[in-house]
Every structure is written in C-alpha cells, then in structure tokens.
Amino acid sequence: MMLTEASLSIWGWGSLGIVLFLVTFGPFVIFYLAFYILCFVGGGLVVTLLYGKTNSEKHLELCEHSFLPPAPPGVPKCLEEMKREARTIKIDRRLTGANIIDEPLQQVIQFSLRDYVQYWYYTLSDDESFLLEIRQTLQNALIQFATRSKEIDWQPYFTTRIVDDFGTHLRVFRKAQQRATEKDDQVKGTAEDLVETFFEVEVEMEKDVCRDLVCTSPKDEEGFLRDLCEVLLYLLLPPGDFQNKIMRYFVREILARGILLPLINQLSDPDYINQYVIWMIRDSNCNYEAFMNIIKLSDNIGELEAVRDKAAEELQYLRSLDTAGDDINTIKNQINSLLFVKKVCDSRIQRLQSGKEINTVKLAANFGKLCTVPLDSILVDNVALQFFMDYMQQTGGQAHLFFWMTVEGYRVTAQQQLEVLSSHQRDGKQQTNQTKGLLRAAAVGIYEQYLSEKASPRVIVDDYLVAKLADTLNHEDPTPEIFDDIQRKVYELMLRDERFYPSFRQNALYVRMLAELDMLKDPSFRGSDDGDGESFNGSPTGSINLSLDDLSNMSSDDSGQLHAYISDTGVCNDHGKTYALYAITVHRRNLNTEEMWKTYRRYSDFHDFHMRITEQFENLSSILKLPGKKTFNNMDRDFLEKRKKDLNAYLQLLLTPEMMKASPALAHCVFDFLENKAYSKGKGDFARKMDTFVNPLRNSMRNVSNAVKSLPDSLAEGVTKMSDNVGRMSERLGQDIKQSFFKVPPLITKTDSDPEHCRVSAQLDDNVDDNIPLRVMLLLMDEVFDLKERNQWLRRNIKNLLQQLIRATYGDTINRKIVDHVDWMTSPEQVADSVKRFRDAFWPNGILAETVPCRDKAIRMRTRIAGKTKLFAIMPDELKHIIGAETTRKGILRVFEMFQHNQLNRRMVYVFLEGFLETLFPQYKFRELFNKLHSRSKQMQKYKQKLQSTQAPSLQKR
C-alpha cells in the first residue's frame, strides 16, 4: 500500500514539473534544447579537425625535409628553356605531287583531326605539338601510298581482277541460291539461311579462306580492320613513327573506326546501293511495262505491300480533290490506273500468302492454250533453236536438224563466195577452179557426214534424192542450191512427223521457249477468293496485259455497254518519224455509274490488235476487215479523215452485241485495247521480233565475208581460209553432235578443275587471244545470265558470232576502249573528283555529316521496286533476242537480289579491298596474311573437318 502511494506521488510530482516547465518556457523549448545540444557537439568536432589538420601538415613538412633529397637545380631550368623555345613543326602540304588531289586530301585530314581528335584533346591540353605530329604521320602514310600507287600498273586490276572478283562473287551467290532453293522444297528458308549457305559455297570455291566472321560479327570486323590498319602503318610509316605506340594507336583508330568502318557500312547498305543504282541510270525513264513486270515478278510481300499502300494513299488524295471540267477525266484515268495497280498487288500478295505456284512457266504448262510459233521461225531464231535442239536430242532426231542447219550455212557461204568470185573475175583476177574445188569439197563433206551409208547418225530420205545428189556432185559444179531438194524433205519431215515439231509443241520445252521469247502471258487468277477456278490465258501478248484479276473482268453482258469512237486525229513526229495518232473516246456504262475516258492509238496498234484477235478467234477473220496500211502526206487531211471513218466503222462492228455474244472472251481483249494506258504489242510485236532476231549461222558467215571484201590485197588467202573453214564445217558439226548430245554424264563428283568450282578468270587459259579485258567482260556476262546451262553447241555459236563481229568490225578497238577508260578513271582529275565526293559525303559544307536515320521500311521497299524497274527499262531488246527474255529477266533479278544482303555486300567490299592491297604491295605476302586473319572462320573449320573425314577412309585403305 505504501509502495503504491510512493509511485503515485513520483508520477504526480513529475507531471506537475513538466506542466510547469512548459507553461513557463513555451511548447517549443524542446526543439531549442535539441538544437543547442547539436551545435555544441558539432563545434567540438570542427575544432578537433582543424587542430589535427594543422599538426599533420607540420609533421609531413618535417618528414619531407628530413627524408627526400633536394631536387637538382637543372630540371627547373630545362623546363623553363622548353617553354621559352618551343620547337615549330613544319608541315609540307604536298602529298601526291598533283595539286588538284592534294587540296581535297588536306581538307580530309583537317576534318578528320578536328572531328575525331581535337574535340577531346583540347579538354586535356592546349599543346599543339601532339596534333601536328599526328598530322605529319598521316601525311607520311599518304605520301608513301601515293608513291607506290604511281609505280603500279592498275589496268590489270580494274580490267581483270575486279571483274573476276565480282563474277566469282556472283557465281558463289548463284550456287548458294540453287542450294537454298533445293532446301526450300523441304523447309522454308530465310535470308539468314541464304547467307550461311553463301559462305559454305565460298569456302568450297576458295578452299583456303572464308570471310564469314568479318562479314557477320561486328566485333571480329573491328578487330580485322585494326590488324589491317596496323600492317599498313608498318609498311607506310617511318620506323620511328611506327615505334611510337601512342601515336600509332591513335592513327590506327582514326583509320579503322573513323574512316574505313563508316565507309564500308555505307557501301554495304542495300538501300544505299539501290539509291545509287537509281542515280546512275537517272536519265532512263521508268515505263509502265517495266513497272508492272516487276510487280508481277516480285516474290517479296513487303515490296508489294509498300506499293499497294502508296497506291491507296494516292487514291485517297485524288478522291479528295474538288475538280471539274477536263481535269476530272484526267483524275478518273489516274484513279483507274491506281486501282489496277492496287488490285494486281493484292492478287499477288494473296497468291504468295496462300503458298500456291507463282512461276509463270509452270502455270503455262498446266493451263490453257498456248500460241503457235511456226517451225521456220524457230529455225532462224537462236533462242528458240536452243530448245528445239534439246528436244530433238531427246527424240533422236538431232541429225535432221543439224543437216538442215549445215546446209543453210553452206548455202549462205557459197552465195557469198560466188559473189566475191564474180566481182573479181570482172576485175581480171582468176580464182575460179580453186574456189569451186573448195566448195565441192565442202559439199562432199556434208554428203559424207549425213547422207552416205557411212554417216552416223544418218539422215533418212528418199534414195533417189540421195542418188541424184551424188550424181550432181560427181559431174557438175557445186551451186548454193545443190542440197535444196533434200533440205526441203528434211524440213517437211521435222514439220509433219509426230515425233518432232508436233510433239515439241506439247512438251515443257516449248513452254520455256515461249517464256524466253517473251510470248507467255502471266496467269489470270480468276474465280473465288480461295483461289479455285484458276485458268491460264495463253494469248501472245508479248509483255504486259491485264493478267491478274483486273479491271477487264467483265462479262459478255457488260460488254454491250461499252461504246467507243475516234473523236479526233493528229500527226505526231517522234525522232524524225511521222505517224498518225487517233484519239478514241470510250464510254462504259455500269448499273449505277457511267465512265468516260480517252485513249490514243496508232494505226500499228490497230493492226497488232487485229492480228491478235483474228488468231485467237478464228471466226472473226472472215467478219472483221481492217483497212490496209498506207503511207500518207502530213498535209493530206482527206486521207486522215477517210482512215478515221474506216476505223470508226471497224470499232462499231467490233463492239456490236452480236459480235460479243459470238466470242465471249473477246470482251477482255477489247477492253485491254481501249483502256487508257500504253498498248502492249501482241502478234505484231512477235512478227517484228522474228524479223530482227539474230541468226548466228547466217550473220556470222556474212560478217566474215564482209571482212574478206574489206581486204582486197589478201583476197586469195582470205578465200582459201574461208573455204577451208567451210570444208571443215561438217566435221566440226559432227564433233559437236558427239560432244554436246551423245556425251555420257559424269559419274564422279566434281573436282577442283570443274569451272563451276573455281574462279571465273580460271577459264582464261582455254583461250588464245590476248584481249584479256574484253574476254573477262564476256565471262562476266556469261556468269550474270548463267549461259553455261544453255545448249553447248548454240553457246559456242553465239561466242563465235561475238568474236567474228569483233574481229570483222573493231578488232582490238573494244579492248583498247576498255583500257582507255581505265586510264581515264585513274587520271589525276578523276582521282581528285573521287576524293572530293568522299569529302562532301562525310563532311558536307565542312561539317561532319550526321548519322543518316534509317529510312522507313516502306520507303526502302519502294526504292527496291524503283531500282529493279530502272534496270529492266535500260535492258536493250537486242539482248533479249540473243539470250532470251526470261534469261535476261532472271539475270537482272539475280544481280539485284545479290545486293540486297548486307553481309554479302560486306564480303564483296572486303574482296575488292584485299585485291587492291595485293596489287598495291605485290612484293609482300598479303594473300597469306589475309588467310591468317580469316583463319578463325567457323565455316573454314567445318570445311577442314569435312575434308579430313572424307580423306580418312582412303588413307585407311592404303
């Protein structure tokens, strides 16, 4: 009880004391008290620290004077002298000896130091000597580089080495594509798979080097450039400068990371290459046909979507315009064109996404009726002849074909020789017996090769014709027409016999031939949305027509609502050629709307259209009559009015409902002809092609004879040589038959000597000419268009044609032009221009260029379409006539596709760089150095393991 009372009294008095304290001093007295205590403690600590610091400094000063020796008096004096008399470094601005090159080079050095060194160096020191030393080091390297460049003959590098490197790169890419295609049949491949396959093929071809690490790994690429720059500095710098490690590392980093790496990044960028291609051929206008061809050939959904989206954007803009009068017709035409492009893109995208066949040749082989190419046209066209020759090989009738060709060549040669003989007889020169004797020997050689009982294979014809020919050869002088009867029989046999031409038209080779002649129309995918109801329209359009589910998809009932008439005529002059132009006004009525547009056609367009529809619809040939072609005077308005009246009558008859009902498919052709776009030639274009195709047999003979005519002093020798060639013609053809058609395919694997497994220039040893640059260019063309896959006999004839053309017309002129162009490229003016372009690209207006932002994917895809369109547009038609339209397209697309892979572009840049350095320093073993730098390649290690595994069993057998 007492304890409880005591505790209560303590708490009571304590509480009373606290209350009285707070009442007396206020409620904030607690904070004041805490602040006073904190200040007291902090002041004590500060006084302690100051006292300790003072004593420590006194102690350290005593220790320094006690244990360290005094500094020598000469050191401060030397420092003062160095500051007072700083050594000035004189910079000689001469680098190459050419002022026009030295000036931009000095600016490049100045800009490089300013943007890669000065911006951070001035934060460390104001001493200029270090910067001057770096500049002097760079100049020394450039002087040594320029000196060595002047001592090198660059013609072999630019005319042979660089073309060989490009051709070999293309060959590796082509083989990689083939392997990737074989793999794609089982598993869908990607771009990464193609790159990996590319380097697999590279190591198989190069044998001792593979550049996969440098091209695919940024870290390894930087290490490679550092090592390479250090080797170059060792070769170009004086020993004293090279031993200065700090200076050497600075210069190495500037060269590797500041100059070479950005340059390689830019040159390897596919989008940059595409833009450069467009800039290079900027003078060529993109045409509608090439653009639509590219869209229809594209297998990249990204490209098609980019074009479709742009077309939709333009459509939205055009529909938003508020126009009236004549402008509205123009806008409607633009809208129709954009709708067509958009629909083509949608159809192609749907086709690609569904995974269905997109190859035109394969589709043509499965669907529809194909156009007919006459046998006589096939025999005079080297492209078509190749496929017919391959087919005749399969059926065992190649002897008939070769006999026909040999006789044709004999006839042309005999005609030329007899003309030369008659012209010189008039001049009093006698070569009659010699020439006729040589022609008789040639004719007898053909007889023995194909018609005699000893001939193998023998051409089987009527015995009385063979006996008649033998009698003529024994008793009469040879004439160009001596084989005509037998040749006519052989032609009839090839034309009528079911084994030959009739069966050839049903063969897949015939479809491929039509593709090479550009006479296959793209497949029309009509039917339901799921792709059912496909059909192939095989009409011979020549190129672009409404090939997908396009605007011409209208029924025969709709065609009765189509009306057209010629509203105006005019005379146009194009490159000196004058022709009449007809303005056609077209009205089309639908259920709720009516459309009207104008299109322009020449008479030749009417003529081509008429030939096409009368072949496709035979019943029209007796009904439709087109007014005949006739030349006219520019001022003959009566003629134009009469022609206008006749063509109007033709259109009205064509558009009658009865005509459309009689031929329902005619509506599509009519709408194609009347649509507001460039008309695509059909049958007429084919007829023109057959007149302009190159016949290697006839033309080569004529070229050689013309060359003989131009050399009257050596006529006898020329006639003798030519006749000898004719005399040996049958023998060569027989050898060609045995080598090209009867050879047994190899049963062993390809060896190192196989041309497909070596560099392109390795085939130069097989030639005897010394025109190396021209020959390498021809080999490059061979590689681009993959002509090795063609018939070897025909390929040899094309090669001979080119060689004879060169010898008969230019001789060494073409080779000299190539060499002169290389000299011009390496002239001081062009080198200075290249340095200026490099300077302006990296430092526009003297300011370091900012990193170019990555362009939008859609823009890059449209750039690809534009680049391919430009390339297609500049391809001459003569090239298509010689090697085939499909081959030309594939070659162009192969080259373009090769540049769309960054890693492969880097590989090509490094190959060019390695070849450049090997040429610049021939006395050093740069090839071995590069092999060592690339020795860590994963593909190289796999290849070596594969070789060891294949060689192990053979070693065990030994």
Side-chain angles (χ1 to χ4, degrees):
M1 187 65 179
M2 295 180 62
L3 182 61
T4 302
E5 291 179 355
S7 61
L8 287 174
S9 62
I10 294 172
W11 281 103
W13 287 107
S15 301
L16 179 62
I18 292 172
V19 170
L20 292 176
F21 181 81
L22 293 174
V23 171
T24 303
F25 298 102
F28 296 100
V29 67
I30 299 176
F31 299 102
Y32 294 146
L33 182 61
F35 177 72
Y36 295 151
I37 296 173
L38 183 61
C39 290
F40 176 79
V41 174
L45 292 175
V46 170
V47 171
T48 304
L49 289 173
L50 290 176
Y51 178 78
K53 181 175 179 298
T54 303
N55 290 336
S56 298
E57 290 177 349
K58 291 180 180 180
H59 180 71
L60 289 174
E61 186 177 357
L62 293 175
C63 292
E64 181 181 358
H65 288 289
S66 301
F67 301 102
L68 295 179
V75 174
K77 186 176 181 180
C78 289
L79 293 176
E80 291 179 4
E81 291 292 334
M82 290 175 62
K83 293 179 180 179
R84 192 165 47 231
E85 298 180 3
R87 184 174 62 91
T88 58
I89 302 177
K90 295 182 179 181
I91 301 295
D92 189 355
R93 300 184 64 85
R94 292 176 299 178
L95 298 174
T96 63
N99 294 330
I100 57 175
I101 302 178
D102 293 345
E103 182 179 354
L105 269 179
Q106 287 289 351
Q107 292 178 347
V108 170
I109 295 175
Q110 179 183 349
F111 294 154
S112 300
L113 293 176
R114 181 195 66 190
D115 296 324
Y116 294 109
V117 178
Q118 290 180 5
Y119 81 96
W120 57 264
Y121 176 74
Y122 283 138
T123 63
L124 302 177
S125 174
D126 295 331
D127 189 7
E128 297 283 345
S129 60
F130 178 74
L131 298 177
L132 294 176
E133 290 287 353
I134 292 182
R135 187 186 187 98
Q136 185 65 47
T137 302
L138 288 174
Q139 291 196 173
N140 290 336
L142 287 174
I143 291 172
Q144 291 294 326
F145 177 83
T147 303
R148 289 183 177 273
S149 298
K150 294 177 182 178
E151 298 172 353
I152 300 298
D153 180 14
W154 291 104
Q155 287 183 5
Y157 172 73
F158 285 105
T159 60
T160 305
R161 175 63 185 267
I162 199 169
V163 181
D164 174 44
D165 288 338
F166 180 82
T168 304
H169 184 85
L170 181 60
R171 173 176 292 182
V172 175
F173 179 76
R174 175 173 57 83
K175 295 175 71 67
Q177 269 190 327
Q178 293 174 354
R179 289 193 186 180
T181 303
E182 295 172 358
K183 294 179 180 178
D184 288 352
D185 295 337
Q186 304 175 355
V187 181
K188 184 65 176 177
T190 61
E192 290 76 11
D193 296 333
L194 178 62
V195 172
E196 184 178 358
T197 306
F198 177 91
F199 289 109
E200 289 178 2
V201 178
E202 181 196 19
V203 71
E204 293 175 3
M205 185 171 293
E206 297 285 354
K207 300 295 189 297
D208 54 359
V209 66
C210 185
R211 303 168 182 85
D212 56 338
L213 279 182
V214 175
C215 299
T216 58
S217 172
K219 182 178 179 181
D220 291 303
E221 182 180 21
E222 291 180 4
F224 173 81
L225 289 176
R226 287 193 184 98
D227 295 339
L228 183 60
C229 289
E230 192 147 358
V231 172
L232 292 177
L233 292 176
Y234 172 78
L235 297 175
L236 297 175
L237 291 181
D241 292 341
F242 182 79
Q243 296 301 327
N244 189 339
K245 290 186 177 181
I246 298 178
M247 189 75 64
R248 187 173 79 236
Y249 291 160
F250 272 120
V251 176
R252 184 192 69 181
E253 292 300 315
I254 292 174
L255 291 176
R257 296 182 56 86
I259 297 179
L260 288 180
L261 190 59
L263 181 62
I264 293 172
N265 289 336
Q266 185 176 25
L267 295 178
S268 304
D269 183 15
D271 189 50
Y272 172 80
I273 296 176
N274 296 338
Q275 295 178 63
Y276 188 75
V277 168
I278 296 173
W279 177 82
M280 285 288 291
I281 51 181
R282 59 191 179 278
D283 295 333
S284 173
N285 296 324
C286 295
N287 58 63
Y288 173 83
E289 180 178 357
F291 174 69
M292 294 307 301
N293 261 329
I294 290 299
I295 292 180
K296 293 176 182 180
L297 291 172
S298 176
D299 57 357
N300 189 311
I301 295 179
E303 294 178 354
L304 298 171
E305 289 177 343
V307 175
R308 181 195 60 187
D309 295 343
K310 188 64 177 179
E313 180 183 338
E314 292 293 328
L315 280 171
Q316 185 178 2
Y317 170 74
L318 291 174
R319 286 168 174 167
S320 66
L321 296 178
D322 185 11
T323 58
D326 295 336
D327 291 341
I328 193 171
N329 295 327
T330 303
I331 293 177
K332 281 186 176 180
N333 293 335
Q334 294 176 356
I335 289 176
N336 289 335
S337 299
L338 290 172
L339 284 173
F340 172 64
V341 172
K342 184 173 180 295
K343 188 159 291 189
V344 169
C345 292
D346 287 333
S347 300
R348 185 73 175 178
I349 292 172
Q350 180 182 1
R351 190 77 183 172
L352 290 170
Q353 290 177 341
S354 63
K356 296 183 179 180
E357 184 61 62
I358 60 175
N359 187 289
T360 304
V361 177
K362 293 181 180 179
L363 287 169
N366 297 327
F367 300 107
K369 176 184 176 182
L370 302 174
C371 61
T372 301
V373 181
L375 178 60
D376 54 353
S377 298
I378 292 176
L379 294 176
V380 298
D381 170 32
N382 62 301
V383 175
L385 184 61
Q386 169 203 342
F387 295 96
F388 188 59
M389 193 180 295
D390 290 340
Y391 177 77
M392 294 294 281
Q393 174 201 357
Q394 296 176 7
T395 58
Q398 66 272 15
H400 298 79
L401 177 60
F402 268 84
F403 171 78
W404 188 95
M405 295 167 60
T406 306
V407 170
E408 194 70 14
Y410 168 82
R411 179 190 296 108
V412 174
T413 305
Q415 289 174 352
Q416 296 290 334
Q417 291 304 302
L418 292 178
E419 288 177 5
V420 173
L421 181 63
S422 62
S423 65
H424 284 277
Q425 282 178 342
R426 290 192 296 267
D427 297 335
K429 298 180 179 180
Q430 297 295 329
Q431 294 288 340
T432 304
N433 295 331
Q434 181 183 8
T435 302
K436 290 184 178 180
L438 292 172
L439 288 177
R440 177 179 285 108
V444 171
I446 297 175
Y447 172 82
E448 294 291 340
Q449 182 73 29
Y450 295 102
L451 300 174
S452 66
E453 295 181 357
K454 299 179 181 179
S456 178
R458 184 186 180 192
V459 176
I460 305 299
V461 292
D462 296 338
D463 292 338
Y464 78 93
L465 291 176
V466 177
K468 179 181 177 182
L469 173 63
D471 183 68
T472 303
L473 289 174
N474 292 328
H475 300 91
E476 299 180 12
D477 291 333
T479 62
E481 298 81 15
I482 192 172
F483 291 99
D484 281 4
D485 293 338
I486 298 180
Q487 187 189 30
R488 193 177 301 110
K489 282 290 184 180
V490 171
Y491 177 84
E492 290 294 329
L493 178 65
M494 292 189 296
L495 180 65
R496 306 298 180 189
D497 196 320
E498 288 295 330
R499 296 174 299 166
F500 303 142
Y501 177 70
S503 298
F504 173 62
R505 290 183 53 191
Q506 309 299 323
N507 194 275
L509 288 172
Y510 184 77
V511 181
R512 291 176 55 193
M513 182 196 73
L514 293 179
E516 293 292 355
L517 297 177
D518 206 11
M519 297 178 64
L520 274 184
K521 183 178 179 181
D522 287 344
S524 299
F525 307 126
R526 310 187 187 279
S528 59
D529 294 336
D530 58 1
D532 296 335
E534 297 176 357
S535 65
F536 183 85
N537 188 345
S539 60
T541 62
S543 53
I544 293 297
N545 264 331
L546 305 184
S547 58
L548 297 176
D549 192 9
D550 51 36
L551 298 177
S552 64
N553 190 13
M554 53 184 180
S555 64
S556 59
D557 296 335
D558 296 331
S559 64
Q561 304 299 321
L562 190 67
H563 302 278
Y565 63 92
I566 299 177
S567 57
D568 195 8
T569 61
V571 178
C572 296
N573 189 289
D574 184 16
H575 299 288
K577 296 182 179 180
T578 303
Y579 57 87
L581 195 65
Y582 302 92
I584 307 175
T585 301
V586 185
H587 293 268
R588 182 184 179 187
R589 294 189 183 92
N590 296 324
L591 295 177
N592 300 321
T593 61
E594 179 179 352
E595 296 179 82
M596 190 272 290
W597 66 86
K598 282 188 177 182
T599 188
Y600 299 89
R601 295 288 181 260
R602 299 173 55 178
Y603 175 81
S604 61
D605 298 332
F606 279 95
H607 188 262
D608 289 332
F609 171 71
H610 180 74
M611 293 180 67
R612 178 159 55 119
I613 63 174
T614 52
E615 178 185 305
Q616 188 171 357
F617 309 100
E618 298 179 356
N619 59 323
L620 298 181
S621 58
S622 59
I623 303 175
L624 285 175
K625 300 296 182 183
L626 187 70
K629 187 172 183 180
K630 180 181 177 182
T631 58
F632 64 93
N633 189 295
N634 293 347
M635 304 302 295
D636 191 357
R637 301 298 304 177
D638 294 337
F639 173 80
L640 292 179
E641 289 299 326
K642 184 178 183 304
R643 175 59 60 83
K644 171 184 173 182
K645 180 179 179 180
D646 294 340
L647 292 178
N648 265 325
Y650 178 84
L651 286 175
Q652 298 307 317
L653 179 61
L654 183 66
L655 294 174
T656 56
E658 294 78 9
M659 187 74 70
M660 293 297 177
K661 290 181 180 179
S663 303
L666 179 63
H668 304 294
C669 299
V670 174
F671 188 86
D672 179 27
F673 178 71
L674 296 177
E675 191 181 8
N676 184 22
K677 66 174 185 177
Y679 178 63
S680 301
K681 297 293 193 300
K683 178 65 178 178
D685 188 50
F686 165 64
R688 291 192 190 93
K689 287 177 182 178
M690 288 307 173
D691 291 334
T692 57
F693 275 149
V694 177
N695 182 357
L697 292 174
R698 294 177 178 174
N699 289 347
S700 61
M701 300 294 181
R702 293 191 179 100
N703 289 329
V704 175
S705 63
N706 291 336
V708 174
K709 290 179 181 178
S710 65
L711 299 173
D713 295 337
S714 58
L715 174 65
E717 181 182 358
V719 172
T720 303
K721 288 183 177 179
M722 182 171 298
S723 300
D724 290 342
N725 289 335
V726 175
R728 291 193 298 269
M729 182 186 300
S730 59
E731 180 182 353
R732 290 202 310 270
L733 290 176
Q735 294 175 355
D736 288 334
I737 291 176
K738 294 177 181 179
Q739 294 176 3
S740 300
F741 293 100
F742 297 142
K743 62 184 180 181
V744 179
L747 300 178
I748 58 174
T749 58
K750 295 184 177 181
T751 62
D752 295 344
S753 60
D754 183 7
E756 283 292 292
H757 282 67
C758 63
R759 298 181 64 87
V760 172
S761 61
Q763 303 172 53
L764 290 175
D765 295 335
D766 298 332
N767 298 286
V768 296
D769 298 334
D770 56 355
N771 293 334
I772 298 292
L774 178 60
R775 286 157 47 204
V776 175
M777 293 294 181
L778 294 177
L779 286 174
L780 177 61
M781 180 180 174
D782 198 7
E783 197 62 40
V784 169
F785 298 106
D786 196 13
L787 298 181
K788 298 179 183 62
E789 299 298 326
R790 313 298 291 270
N791 179 282
Q792 294 300 312
W793 186 91
L794 187 61
R795 182 170 176 265
R796 251 193 315 274
N797 277 277
I798 295 176
K799 175 185 174 183
N800 293 335
L801 170 63
L802 293 175
Q803 290 178 344
Q804 290 167 359
L805 283 173
I806 293 169
R807 293 193 184 100
T809 55
Y810 297 102
D812 289 338
T813 304
I814 297 179
N815 183 72
R816 193 179 305 114
K817 286 182 177 180
I818 297 174
V819 174
D820 292 343
H821 184 71
V822 171
D823 290 338
W824 174 78
M825 289 173 54
T826 55
S827 63
E829 293 79 10
Q830 290 304 310
V831 173
D833 186 64
S834 301
V835 176
K836 289 178 182 178
R837 285 200 299 266
F838 173 79
R839 177 200 62 192
D840 296 338
F842 279 83
W843 292 278
N845 298 322
I847 301 175
L848 182 64
E850 297 181 358
T851 303
V852 179
C854 184
R855 301 203 307 166
D856 182 71
K857 180 181 178 182
I859 297 178
R860 288 187 279 116
M861 291 294 104
R862 287 195 292 270
T863 304
R864 290 181 55 166
I865 291 289
K868 287 189 282 188
T869 303
K870 285 278 191 179
L871 289 175
F872 266 55
I874 65 170
M875 278 296 113
D877 291 337
E878 290 76 12
L879 183 62
K880 299 177 184 178
H881 296 165
I882 294 176
I883 64 176
E886 187 70 13
T887 300
T888 304
R889 281 193 289 264
K890 287 183 178 179
I892 295 172
L893 292 178
R894 180 185 298 115
V895 174
F896 187 86
E897 182 63 26
M898 181 183 69
F899 287 113
Q900 306 311 307
H901 302 274
N902 187 284
Q903 297 93 332
L904 306 190
N905 294 338
R906 303 184 93 84
R907 188 260 179 193
M908 186 165 58
V909 172
Y910 283 117
V911 168
F912 289 162
L913 178 61
E914 292 172 9
F916 178 81
L917 294 177
E918 290 178 23
T919 306
L920 185 64
F921 302 98
Q923 68 274 30
Y924 300 106
K925 299 179 180 179
F926 260 93
R927 170 50 52 193
E928 297 180 5
L929 172 65
F930 288 129
N931 291 346
K932 292 179 180 179
L933 292 178
H934 296 301
S935 59
R936 295 189 299 109
S937 166
K938 297 179 181 179
Q939 294 293 345
M940 194 68 199
Q941 296 173 1
K942 292 181 181 179
Y943 180 73
K944 290 181 178 179
Q945 293 176 358
K946 182 179 178 180
L947 283 180
Q948 293 175 357
S949 61
T950 55
Q951 293 175 356
S954 60
L955 293 176
Q956 290 177 359
K957 291 180 180 180
R958 292 180 182 178

